[in-house]
Amino acid sequence: MSTVKAALRAAKSALDAQQYEIAIENANKALQEDPKNYHANVFLGLGLEKQNRNEESEQAYKAAILLKRNDPLAWQGFISLYEKQGDRKLDEYHDVASHLAAVFIAVDDKTRCQTVVDKYTDYARKCGSRAHYRHSLEILLPGSELYDYLEGRILHPAYTYTKIAEIVEQDEKEKINYEIGQRRTRLGAKIDQVTADVKREVLQASGLEALYQHIVDWTEDDQTRRSYEEKLLQHAYDTLVVFPSAQKASKREEVVRLAQGLVILKHPFTLAWKVTLEWKDVERIEDLDAGLLREYVEFFPEDGLAKVLQGFFDSEICAFPTHTPQDDEDNETQPKRSVALSAEDRLILMADGIEDSPASILALRIMAEYYLYLEEYETAVETARKVQHELAIVSRTSGLSLTDVSDAVDVILATAMVHYRAPRYHPEATSMFEGILARKPTNTAALIGVGLILEEREEFDKAVSFLERALQQAPSTMVKAEAAWCKASRGDYQTGISELEGCLSQLEILDPRSKTLKAQILYRIGMCLWNIDQSKSSRKDRNKAYARFISSLQADINYAPSYTILGIYYTDYARDKARARKCFQKAFELSSSEVVAAERLAQSFARTSEWDLVEAVAQRVVESGRLRPPPGSKRKGISWPFAALGVVQLNIQDYPKSIVSFQSALRISPKDYYSWVGLGESYHNSGRYIAATRAFEQAQKLEEELGPELLGDTWFTKYMLANVKRELGEFGAAIVGYKEVLAVRTREYGVSIASFQTSIEAAWQDIELGFFGRAIDKVQEALKTAEDLVIWRKDAFNLWKSIGDLCSVYTYIQSYITEFPLQAVSGLLITDCDSEVYSLLADYDHLNWATFESSIANQDPGSLLGPCCHTAILAYKRAISCCVNDSHARAVAWYNLGWAEHRAHVCQFGRAADNEDNAFKYLKASVQCFKRAIELESGNSDFWNSLGTVTSQLNPKVAQHAFVRSLFINDKSARSWTNLGVFYLVEGDSQLASDAFTRAQSIDPEYAQAWLGQALLAAHIGETSEARNLFAHAFEIASASATQIQRSYACCTLDHLLSSPSISSNTTNLLQPVLALRQLSKQSSADLPYEHICSLFLERMGDYAEASERLSAICPKLEAEYEMSESVETLARFANAKADLSRSLLAEGKFASAVENAETALDLSADDDTSSMRQRTRLSAHISLGLGHYYLGSFDRGIEAFKWALSESQDDPDLVCLLSQVLWAKGGESEREVASQQLFDCIERHPSHVGTILLLGTVSVLHDDQDTVEAVSDDLRELRTRDDLTPQQRKQLAHLLRVIAILYPGGKGQSVAQTSEATTAVMLGPSLPYGWSQLSRITNEPHPAEMAILTAVKKAPPRGELNVEDVSEVYAEAHRGVDAQRSIMFAPWKPSGWRALSQLG
């Protein structure tokens, strides 16, 4: 024991001497001797603490406490240890401090106990977090052992609660901000929803309200108490807002309780007062506590609600007792009232209040009711809707259902909608009233509202019922007057007058504010008198209805309906239009609902063409909302304002708006005939022609329904429909429509000129489509109309422009030029006209009336192309003289004249001219025309493009400038880009030309001229295949009037066919070129080379008759041309034409004529010219001559011709074959020997010539020369393996081998030989029908016949080159009825199909 004490003394001394290691050793020695020694553990813990061995020190102190729990020494060691470690052990520090304080309480040592507590709280405040500090303060709160022991020595509870509340407030604020910041970045998060969710989570778990309540309970400072009562209410309200709906009820009760407590204490906290006032569910404002309302005004004079309440107390709608100055004197604590406000100042004050408190339900409700009283219905509707919005917000945030308030607001809103833009909102108002009446059947305002709506719907019986029910609840003069008017409106005028006069007597004792009602009653009495006796004398009587109307205005000078009826009186009965107009204007100024006055005004303004005033009147009526009747109403809609707006917008060319206006009119009145016409005209003018057609057709249906008695003259509809058809390109229907109008309006110039122009446009369309004869018929018919128009209006620009177009049509269809009515057109041109008019530009084109007459006199009757061009030019010149005052029309007239001059140049160019000036006179005149047009309208790209076109030949620099200028104005013109490309092509710049053509194609892929330019460029640079495809595409998309495309395409096709003989054998490749050349021949009769080319194509197609006809027409023209020019080239062309004509006549079977023309061709080509054209001409002529003599029976002369042909063709194998056939046909043995020898010699020279081998084999068979047959058979079998044989050659080869197999079967037998040949043919050519057909004939089996048909169909055009006769023969050999019919269908001229059908029948 002594050892322990010695160790303890040594440990104590070491601690005092700061020898902590020695102290630890001694303490451990003591513990070894006595493990339960309290002081040894304490000394050990202290030593370890000083050595910063905190964990070991803590264990030592714990061991000491276990030995003596109520000894403070170890606890104090713990405190020292924890304070040394900062905030790491604050939670343990809290427990140790609490235990140490309890130890001191046990020994009743208040001083040391307080010291421990103060030291701990101060340390927690300095070193710990807010949570630690709050935790330290909680041990001082009432209810704890420390508070009871140290009460009076520690902080007051109010202060402690305040500190804790401040900490909690800051923590919650930081937590809310942190969570919102974290969650708002989540995918799909919405800031409002995130904020609400976070606040709900934090506020639900918050203890602030309990803390605030403790502060209120413990504080002794009233100001602090009120401050924390405000915080308590605000926190409770915020929590209520974010609470789920199921939990709102209890929380709402708490909020109301807190708010009412503050209001009872008259504490000026805005939230408390607003909750108390605005959460009151009262049906009427007067059900609220007037005292509370006045106190609110006094506590919060600058608040928005207070301003509204202040105005409300002074207003006419306030039902509270008047607040007198005596009341202010009795209550000395309240400020004195200011002087009463005027009506204007009151309204301004209340409006300011609404701006300051836009979310106040009470303020908005008061304002809505006040606006309704002032009859500011629009503002009342807006304000009431705001109240509904705020009610929805309150219901959503607080869960409070203010049913009575909502019904009251609905009544205000529905009542305002009864009058605001009636009857637009009547359905909505009716729905509201019905909902209110379902809950409150005796609601007077709802009954009145329904009655007024029914009155507007003209359902007067029901209206009377509702109004009388309202009278039973609350008698009212206004309601009684409305009921009386409903009775009068249903025809009971006497009862209406009686009851209205009773109402009038009641009004005499009322205040002056009822003057409007008095004016209304007087007006309605007047209307009853007006309708009882509708005779003119009665209505003119100024002592009856008129007197009541005047009295109405005396009662209220601003009562609009009285002005309207007086306007009608002055218009229809007093004949005073000036006074009537003033009345209508006054009525409409006072009320936009006076639709009758507005209509009369609009009609008056329309008669004087004051369209801006018509628009203003109609627009105001539209905005009034009285046009469309509500659903279920008996009242008809009013459509004339929309129709009037449509007419005005139509006049100012605002077509999109006019369409909308007429559509609106038709929705109201679907059978409004004139609105349909206006709608159709608007559609027409805006380019929507399909819609215009439907509108006019609907108008015509109404014509049939309504009849002319109601509609009057309806020709304009037919005229406009014809215009629409014209714009759609349906010229036939348009012309028929114009004629129907002219049958009624025979002298209507506009219709006649439209019909005339449409006929010309139809003719141009027919030219585009290739119907040239139909186009001529149309212009000839149009000429009759022109003759009438010249008599009516000889100075019309459109007339002469169209006459010029009429003449130009003939220049584009020159095959009908002989039908040009020169005398008739000349007569039109000289009608009532000074001949000087035609001297315009005579210095350039040398054309005036005198030269025109001279040219007619000297003109060849068979050639009218020149006079036709001249008449067109003269007509355009006269058109210029008819538009002197219209610059745009003059520009267009010069433009038209320019193209007429250019057309004359094109038609005359290349013909004989005296000199170069005459050759280009029309072109120079055209340049001057386009210059004049540009001077008048320099911004027109077409004018610049035209100038570039006509100057390309005269001045390339000017042309380039003009094209560039045109494209600067409009770079989207495919025509300008194409012309520029042609210019560059002519000038030799291929790259720029290609760029221009490509740009044109991208702008308009359907513009054929751009593709033609690209094709010419491709041909120029040697890309023949590409050029051919481009020419073909250009022709496919071009119109029939594109002559240059037709020329180029025909020439390109001819070159291609000449370079590929196998292609020319397929006649389908010739169809399009022939079509192009036929169209060209109709349009340009002077194009002899192309006529010649067309005849060659026709000959190749087998149309020998037309080919002969065309060549017969060409030859005299070439002969005449040669006689005039004596050109060697012309002579060669003439000889060539004669040779081609001979060949066509030979094919046609006219052998004598063929011989004659062949001899002529030989005579014309007898010169020593060595050109290839002469050689081909003479060869063709010799062959035609030889065949002609052959068919005429002159074999010798034929053989002689063939010999000449052989000599000139250097023994051409085809000619050798032809000569051999003629020699064989002559029949003599010597001739046949010669024929055989010729064939043998030809084979030696041309061993691969198919025709020679075939002919030699045929001759050998006919001559029964078996040796030759055997030799030729080998050649024939070798020949059929070649790939270059035509279908016809393969057919001949197969037929010849079959004959040889039959006649010379050898040792195999005839049947086996035939079968062998047939199967060999099938094996070598399985895709050809000849082997299959041969096998079918031999075996009589169906499969070979079916295969023959399948292969024949596949080889037929366009997939192959098999001709139609071969296909027909294959079907005939199938020995089936259906195939025999198909054979006949393919080639009805072939007997094989008919024969097969007869055998099967």
Side-chain angles (χ1 to χ4, degrees):
M1 190 66 176
S2 59
T3 304
V4 173
K5 290 182 179 181
L8 291 176
R9 284 195 297 268
K12 179 69 171 63
S13 299
L15 289 173
D16 293 340
Q18 298 183 355
Q19 297 175 349
Y20 303 119
E21 287 294 338
I22 296 172
I24 293 171
E25 291 177 2
N26 289 308
N28 284 326
K29 288 179 181 180
L31 287 173
Q32 288 176 359
E33 295 294 332
D34 184 5
K36 295 184 178 181
N37 191 291
Y38 173 77
H39 289 91
N41 282 294
V42 172
F43 292 157
L44 177 60
L46 181 58
L48 291 171
E49 175 191 343
K50 297 299 183 179
Q51 290 289 319
N52 293 325
R53 296 162 66 179
N54 297 329
E55 296 296 332
E56 297 176 23
S57 175
E58 186 174 358
Q59 294 300 322
Y61 285 137
K62 287 182 178 180
I65 288 173
L66 291 175
L67 296 173
K68 290 185 179 181
R69 189 172 185 82
N70 294 324
D71 192 297
L73 187 60
W75 295 107
Q76 289 171 342
F78 260 128
I79 290 175
S80 175
L81 176 64
Y82 291 151
E83 285 179 351
K84 180 181 178 181
Q85 298 183 49
D87 61 348
R88 290 178 54 211
K89 294 292 186 175
L90 269 174
D91 291 334
E92 290 83 352
Y93 191 175
H94 176 82
D95 297 335
V96 169
S98 299
H99 283 292
L100 182 57
V103 170
F104 290 136
I105 291 173
V107 298
D108 195 19
D109 189 347
K110 292 185 177 181
T111 301
R112 295 178 69 185
C113 180
Q114 182 180 354
T115 302
V116 171
V117 172
D118 291 343
K119 185 179 180 181
Y120 165 59
T121 56
D122 186 57
Y123 184 81
R125 179 179 58 81
K126 291 179 180 179
C127 299
S129 64
R130 286 195 300 270
H132 292 130
Y133 183 48
R134 183 187 67 188
H135 197 35
S136 69
L137 291 175
E138 288 175 351
I139 64 175
L140 303 178
L141 294 176
S144 68
E145 184 180 5
L146 281 174
Y147 176 79
D148 294 339
Y149 181 69
L150 298 176
E151 184 177 4
R153 300 176 65 95
I154 58 176
L155 296 174
H156 191 276
Y159 179 81
T160 305
Y161 279 120
T162 301
K163 287 294 183 181
I164 295 175
E166 290 174 353
I167 293 172
V168 174
E169 285 175 356
Q170 192 168 0
D171 288 344
E172 289 186 358
K173 182 178 179 181
E174 290 181 356
K175 183 176 181 181
I176 289 172
N177 292 336
Y178 174 78
E179 290 294 331
I180 291 174
Q182 290 291 315
R183 300 185 189 184
R184 67 183 299 178
T185 59
R186 295 176 182 174
L187 188 63
K190 297 180 180 179
I191 185 62
D192 294 339
Q193 185 62 39
V194 168
T195 302
D197 292 342
V198 171
K199 285 186 175 181
R200 179 165 54 252
E201 293 173 7
V202 174
L203 295 180
Q204 279 183 327
S206 174
L208 270 178
E209 291 183 26
L211 292 172
Y212 291 153
Q213 188 62 53
H214 286 308
I215 296 171
V216 170
D217 294 341
W218 283 97
T219 186
E220 296 175 356
D221 182 18
D222 289 341
Q223 185 175 356
T224 303
R225 181 178 292 107
R226 298 294 172 262
S227 174
Y228 278 92
E229 284 178 343
E230 291 178 3
K231 286 189 175 184
L232 176 59
L233 175 58
Q234 186 66 55
H235 192 279
Y237 178 80
D238 293 341
T239 306
L240 172 65
V241 170
V242 298
F243 258 26
S245 300
Q247 303 175 17
K248 285 183 183 291
S250 59
K251 196 66 179 179
R252 184 176 63 250
E253 293 177 0
E254 180 184 348
V255 171
V256 172
R257 177 180 58 77
L258 293 171
Q260 288 177 346
L262 288 173
V263 170
I264 292 171
L265 295 173
K266 298 189 182 335
H267 177 66
F269 181 50
T270 307
L271 178 60
W273 287 84
K274 287 196 173 181
V275 167
T276 302
L277 293 177
E278 299 202 7
W279 286 13
K280 289 284 187 182
D281 189 15
V282 293
E283 187 173 359
R284 299 178 303 166
I285 296 176
E286 49 266 32
D287 293 337
L288 293 171
D289 188 341
L292 284 179
L293 296 176
R294 296 188 190 278
E295 288 173 355
Y296 184 87
V297 173
E298 292 161 1
F299 284 132
F300 312 101
E302 298 303 320
D303 183 74
L305 176 58
K307 292 178 181 179
V308 173
L309 288 172
Q310 185 178 348
F312 171 71
F313 288 139
D314 289 338
S315 68
E316 300 88 341
I317 64 171
C318 180
F320 294 124
T322 304
H323 191 71
T324 63
Q326 182 64 35
D327 297 329
D328 292 332
E329 293 177 1
D330 295 340
N331 189 356
E332 296 180 356
T333 62
Q334 296 180 353
K336 306 296 182 182
R337 272 178 58 88
S338 60
V339 179
L341 298 172
S342 64
E344 293 78 7
D345 293 339
R346 179 176 20 338
L347 187 57
I348 293 173
L349 178 65
M350 297 174 77
D352 291 342
I354 286 296
E355 291 183 2
D356 295 339
S357 298
S360 173
I361 294 174
L362 181 57
L364 290 170
R365 177 182 177 183
I366 291 172
M367 286 304 298
E369 191 169 337
Y370 190 52
Y371 284 132
L372 182 62
Y373 171 78
L374 296 176
E375 297 183 358
E376 294 288 339
Y377 299 118
E378 181 178 2
T379 313
V381 169
E382 293 175 358
T383 308
R385 291 196 187 279
K386 290 179 182 178
V387 182
Q388 288 182 329
H389 177 68
E390 295 302 326
L391 283 171
I393 293 176
V394 169
S395 177
R396 184 172 63 252
T397 57
S398 67
L400 188 63
S401 178
L402 302 175
T403 307
D404 290 337
V405 174
S406 179
D407 287 346
V409 173
D410 287 349
V411 167
I412 295 172
L413 176 59
T415 303
M417 287 194 295
V418 170
H419 303 282
Y420 174 55
R421 291 191 177 183
R424 176 182 295 182
Y425 300 108
H426 282 186
E428 185 179 355
T430 302
S431 176
M432 288 184 180
F433 284 137
E434 289 175 350
I436 294 168
L437 290 174
R439 295 186 295 272
K440 301 172 183 177
T442 60
N443 189 293
T444 305
L447 291 169
I448 295 172
V450 174
L452 294 176
I453 291 173
L454 292 171
E455 179 184 346
E456 179 70 23
R457 293 182 181 178
E458 298 183 1
E459 298 181 23
F460 301 113
D461 293 334
K462 294 181 179 179
V464 169
S465 174
F466 276 92
L467 292 172
E468 287 179 348
R469 286 171 58 188
L471 285 172
Q472 293 174 3
Q473 300 300 323
S476 167
T477 304
M478 185 275 291
V479 177
K480 185 177 180 182
E482 289 294 340
W485 178 242
C486 289
K487 294 176 183 178
S489 298
R490 66 187 182 187
D492 192 356
Y493 298 114
Q494 294 296 344
T495 303
I497 292 174
S498 175
E499 294 185 2
L500 286 170
E501 288 178 345
C503 296
L504 191 62
S505 62
Q506 295 177 9
L507 283 176
E508 292 175 355
I509 61 174
L510 296 179
D511 60 273
R513 291 184 299 176
S514 61
K515 61 181 182 178
T516 301
L517 180 57
K518 182 177 180 180
Q520 183 188 62
I521 293 174
L522 287 168
Y523 162 77
R524 289 176 172 179
I525 292 173
M527 288 303 300
C528 290
L529 295 173
W530 182 272
N531 292 321
I532 286 176
D533 188 354
Q534 299 182 10
S535 63
K536 188 173 182 180
S537 58
S538 175
R539 290 188 171 182
K540 288 181 66 176
D541 190 347
R542 295 194 172 216
N543 295 321
K544 292 185 178 180
Y546 176 82
R548 299 302 193 281
F549 299 143
I550 295 298
S551 299
S552 172
L553 291 177
Q554 290 172 349
D556 185 357
I557 199 170
N558 291 324
Y559 189 66
S562 296
Y563 285 106
T564 300
I565 192 62
L566 283 174
I568 296 173
Y569 171 82
Y570 289 128
T571 301
D572 298 344
Y573 300 100
R575 302 298 180 187
D576 190 345
K577 293 185 178 180
R579 186 174 291 181
R581 186 167 183 172
K582 290 180 181 179
C583 288
F584 289 136
Q585 287 178 339
K586 183 66 175 178
F588 192 59
E589 287 174 6
L590 292 171
S591 174
S592 60
S593 299
E594 292 302 310
V595 180
V596 175
E599 184 176 9
R600 296 288 184 116
L601 274 178
Q603 291 172 351
S604 174
F605 293 141
R607 282 192 289 269
T608 56
S609 298
E610 298 176 78
W611 298 111
D612 53 341
L613 296 178
V614 173
E615 182 181 14
V617 170
Q619 188 62 45
R620 190 177 177 209
V621 175
V622 169
E623 292 173 355
S624 70
R626 296 191 61 84
L627 302 184
R628 293 183 176 87
S633 174
K634 296 179 179 179
R635 185 173 65 85
K636 294 183 178 180
I638 301 170
S639 62
W640 70 261
F642 286 113
L645 282 176
V647 172
V648 173
Q649 291 153 356
L650 197 58
N651 285 332
I652 64 175
Q653 299 181 1
D654 193 350
Y655 304 122
K657 289 185 178 179
S658 68
I659 289 172
V660 174
S661 297
F662 284 122
Q663 286 176 338
S664 300
L666 290 169
R667 289 190 188 100
I668 298 173
S669 300
K671 293 191 176 183
D672 185 352
Y673 171 79
Y674 295 103
S675 291
W676 281 109
V677 175
L679 179 62
E681 187 173 359
S682 300
Y683 279 136
H684 168 267
N685 293 339
S686 61
R688 299 168 62 179
Y689 302 117
I690 301 299
T693 301
R694 294 173 181 170
F696 286 126
E697 289 175 350
Q698 183 63 33
Q700 289 185 331
K701 290 180 182 179
L702 290 176
E703 290 177 11
E704 300 174 0
E705 293 180 15
L706 302 178
E709 296 81 7
L710 293 176
L711 299 179
D713 207 348
T714 59
W715 66 270
F716 183 74
T717 306
K718 295 184 178 65
Y719 168 68
M720 286 304 301
L721 183 57
N723 286 341
V724 173
K725 296 294 184 182
R726 174 184 175 184
E727 295 293 345
L728 289 172
E730 300 177 16
F731 298 114
I735 293 172
V736 171
Y738 290 133
K739 288 181 177 179
E740 290 179 358
V741 176
L742 290 172
V744 181
R745 308 275 294 192
T746 55
R747 302 281 294 181
E748 192 67 43
Y749 171 77
V751 181
S752 298
I753 191 65
S755 177
F756 180 38
Q757 291 176 315
T758 305
S759 297
I760 302 301
E761 291 170 4
W764 285 115
Q765 185 188 57
D766 288 337
I767 292 175
E768 297 288 323
L769 297 175
F771 302 122
F772 303 115
R774 196 163 70 183
I776 294 300
D777 293 340
K778 285 187 172 63
V779 295
Q780 289 177 348
E781 183 180 355
L783 184 61
K784 300 175 183 178
T785 306
E787 292 172 348
D788 296 333
L789 288 171
V790 169
I791 299 173
W792 303 345
R793 292 277 297 275
K794 60 180 179 296
D795 57 347
F797 162 74
N798 287 338
L799 170 62
W800 295 107
K801 185 263 182 189
S802 299
I803 291 176
D805 292 343
L806 183 149
C807 299
S808 298
V809 167
Y810 284 92
T811 68
Y812 284 90
I813 317 176
Q814 295 177 13
S815 59
Y816 291 91
I817 197 69
T818 55
E819 299 182 19
F820 177 64
L822 179 60
Q823 296 300 324
V825 176
S826 301
L828 293 177
L829 291 171
I830 201 60
T831 302
D832 296 335
C833 179
D834 185 1
S835 60
E836 290 299 319
V837 170
Y838 301 117
S839 298
L840 200 65
L841 296 181
D843 294 339
Y844 292 93
D845 60 10
H846 304 166
L847 179 62
N848 55 30
W849 188 255
T851 58
F852 174 66
E853 288 186 323
S854 175
S855 65
I856 293 176
N858 300 325
Q859 183 68 37
D860 180 7
S863 177
L864 294 176
L865 183 59
C868 184
C869 294
H870 293 163
T871 54
I873 293 172
L874 294 176
Y876 288 128
K877 286 183 177 181
R878 186 161 181 180
I880 294 175
S881 68
C882 295
C883 55
V884 178
N885 299 323
D886 189 342
S887 60
H888 175 69
R890 286 175 60 205
V892 174
W894 280 110
Y895 175 74
N896 294 333
L897 178 59
W899 280 118
E901 298 278 9
H902 182 266
R903 182 62 184 170
H905 169 74
V906 171
C907 292
Q908 300 293 331
F909 187 72
R911 301 191 177 187
D914 299 337
N915 51 51
E916 185 177 352
D917 289 339
N918 284 336
F920 290 96
K921 62 181 181 180
Y922 296 116
L923 191 61
K924 293 178 180 177
S926 177
V927 172
Q928 296 302 315
C929 292
F930 291 130
K931 286 183 177 179
R932 300 276 182 90
I934 290 172
E935 289 174 1
L936 293 169
E937 197 171 317
S938 59
N940 192 309
S941 64
D942 291 336
F943 294 174
W944 286 101
N945 175 55
S946 303
L947 179 63
T949 302
V950 299
T951 56
S952 296
Q953 189 175 0
L954 299 175
N955 193 331
K957 291 184 178 180
V958 173
Q960 184 180 21
H961 170 73
F963 286 135
V964 172
R965 183 65 180 172
S966 173
L967 291 170
F968 175 77
I969 297 171
N970 178 19
D971 62 350
K972 300 297 183 183
S973 172
R975 178 176 299 176
S976 298
W977 280 108
T978 302
N979 290 340
L980 181 61
V982 173
F983 173 81
Y984 286 137
L985 181 60
V986 172
E987 295 299 319
D989 195 331
S990 301
Q991 183 58 46
L992 289 178
S994 177
D995 294 341
F997 291 137
T998 303
R999 183 69 179 272
Q1001 291 163 0
S1002 65
I1003 292 172
D1004 186 2
E1006 298 298 319
Y1007 187 59
Q1009 307 297 334
W1011 295 97
L1012 172 63
Q1014 197 78 49
L1016 292 172
L1017 177 61
H1020 175 70
I1021 62 179
E1023 296 181 0
T1024 308
S1025 177
E1026 178 69 14
R1028 184 171 63 254
N1029 293 332
L1030 290 170
F1031 279 128
H1033 180 68
F1035 176 73
E1036 288 172 358
I1037 65 175
S1039 64
S1041 61
T1043 55
Q1044 186 55 49
I1045 294 177
Q1046 294 162 354
R1047 294 187 184 100
S1048 301
Y1049 176 62
C1051 291
C1052 176
T1053 305
L1054 179 62
D1055 293 340
H1056 181 55
L1057 294 177
L1058 291 176
S1059 64
S1060 303
S1062 60
I1063 297 176
S1064 64
S1065 62
N1066 188 352
T1067 57
T1068 56
N1069 296 327
L1070 308 177
L1071 294 177
Q1072 284 190 320
V1074 169
L1075 174 62
L1077 291 169
R1078 281 175 172 170
Q1079 292 175 344
L1080 179 63
S1081 66
K1082 292 287 185 181
Q1083 298 175 80
S1084 181
S1085 57
D1087 283 341
L1088 297 181
Y1090 295 98
E1091 284 286 308
H1092 196 163
I1093 293 173
C1094 183
S1095 67
L1096 295 178
F1097 282 138
L1098 291 168
E1099 181 186 357
R1100 180 59 62 92
M1101 290 176 62
D1103 192 349
Y1104 306 114
E1106 185 177 350
S1108 301
E1109 181 182 352
R1110 288 181 179 274
L1111 289 168
S1112 298
I1114 291 172
C1115 289
K1117 295 179 182 178
L1118 289 172
E1119 184 178 6
E1121 184 179 340
Y1122 173 70
E1123 289 176 355
M1124 291 179 62
S1125 63
E1126 295 185 355
S1127 168
V1128 175
E1129 181 182 355
T1130 304
L1131 180 62
R1133 289 169 54 201
F1134 181 33
N1136 191 21
K1138 279 291 186 179
D1140 292 342
L1141 176 59
S1142 173
R1143 189 171 60 251
S1144 297
L1145 290 170
L1146 179 66
E1148 196 177 355
K1150 299 178 180 180
F1151 306 119
S1153 298
V1155 169
E1156 180 184 352
N1157 282 279
E1159 290 174 347
T1160 303
L1162 291 171
D1163 293 340
L1164 292 174
S1165 60
D1167 297 338
D1168 294 334
D1169 186 9
T1170 59
S1171 64
S1172 60
M1173 179 178 179
R1174 173 185 175 276
Q1175 293 176 359
R1176 287 196 299 271
T1177 300
R1178 292 186 62 81
L1179 180 60
S1180 175
H1182 279 304
I1183 295 173
S1184 298
L1185 181 63
L1187 290 174
H1189 284 306
Y1190 168 74
Y1191 285 113
L1192 289 173
S1194 301
F1195 295 106
D1196 294 334
R1197 298 179 65 181
I1199 292 171
E1200 185 67 23
F1202 285 127
K1203 290 180 178 179
W1204 279 105
L1206 283 173
S1207 65
E1208 293 195 8
S1209 66
Q1210 299 178 354
D1211 294 331
D1212 182 89
D1214 289 327
L1215 280 178
V1216 171
C1217 292
L1218 190 59
L1219 176 59
S1220 299
Q1221 287 174 321
V1222 173
L1223 290 171
W1224 185 269
K1226 187 176 181 181
E1229 189 65 27
S1230 61
E1231 287 82 358
R1232 293 184 177 183
E1233 288 292 338
V1234 171
S1236 299
Q1237 187 61 42
Q1238 287 285 341
L1239 290 173
F1240 280 116
D1241 294 342
C1242 183
I1243 288 177
E1244 290 181 1
R1245 292 190 300 271
H1246 305 282
S1248 62
H1249 188 259
V1250 178
T1252 306
I1253 298 174
L1254 287 173
L1255 185 56
L1256 180 60
T1258 303
V1259 168
S1260 301
V1261 170
L1262 292 175
H1263 203 242
D1264 197 18
D1265 187 351
Q1266 189 170 356
D1267 295 335
T1268 305
V1269 168
E1270 291 178 359
V1272 171
S1273 297
D1274 295 335
D1275 293 337
L1276 291 174
R1277 292 186 179 93
E1278 182 180 355
L1279 190 65
R1280 65 182 176 183
T1281 61
R1282 288 169 52 178
D1283 296 331
D1284 59 344
L1285 299 182
T1286 65
Q1288 192 65 25
Q1289 290 173 336
R1290 291 186 181 278
K1291 178 181 178 183
Q1292 294 172 354
L1293 180 60
H1295 180 68
L1296 181 57
L1297 287 172
R1298 182 171 65 85
V1299 171
I1300 291 174
I1302 294 173
L1303 297 178
Y1304 306 100
K1308 296 184 289 185
Q1310 190 179 77
S1311 176
V1312 175
Q1314 291 186 66
T1315 304
S1316 175
E1317 284 296 331
T1319 54
T1320 302
V1322 170
M1323 181 186 68
L1324 294 175
S1327 61
L1328 298 174
Y1330 311 115
W1332 293 107
S1333 296
Q1334 184 177 348
L1335 188 61
S1336 174
R1337 286 193 294 270
I1338 296 171
T1339 61
N1340 290 324
E1341 293 182 0
H1343 178 68
E1346 293 176 0
M1347 290 301 299
I1349 292 173
L1350 289 174
T1351 53
V1353 170
K1354 289 182 179 180
K1355 287 296 181 180
R1359 291 175 289 183
E1361 300 177 357
L1362 197 67
N1363 61 41
V1364 67
E1365 293 182 350
D1366 290 338
V1367 176
S1368 174
E1369 186 174 349
V1370 169
Y1371 273 107
E1373 292 175 354
H1375 302 293
R1376 291 186 302 190
V1378 63
D1379 292 326
Q1381 292 174 346
R1382 287 173 180 162
S1383 174
I1384 295 171
M1385 180 192 69
F1386 278 109
W1389 62 88
K1390 290 278 291 183
S1392 56
W1394 296 102
R1395 188 183 305 113
L1397 186 63
S1398 64
Q1399 291 174 357
L1400 293 171

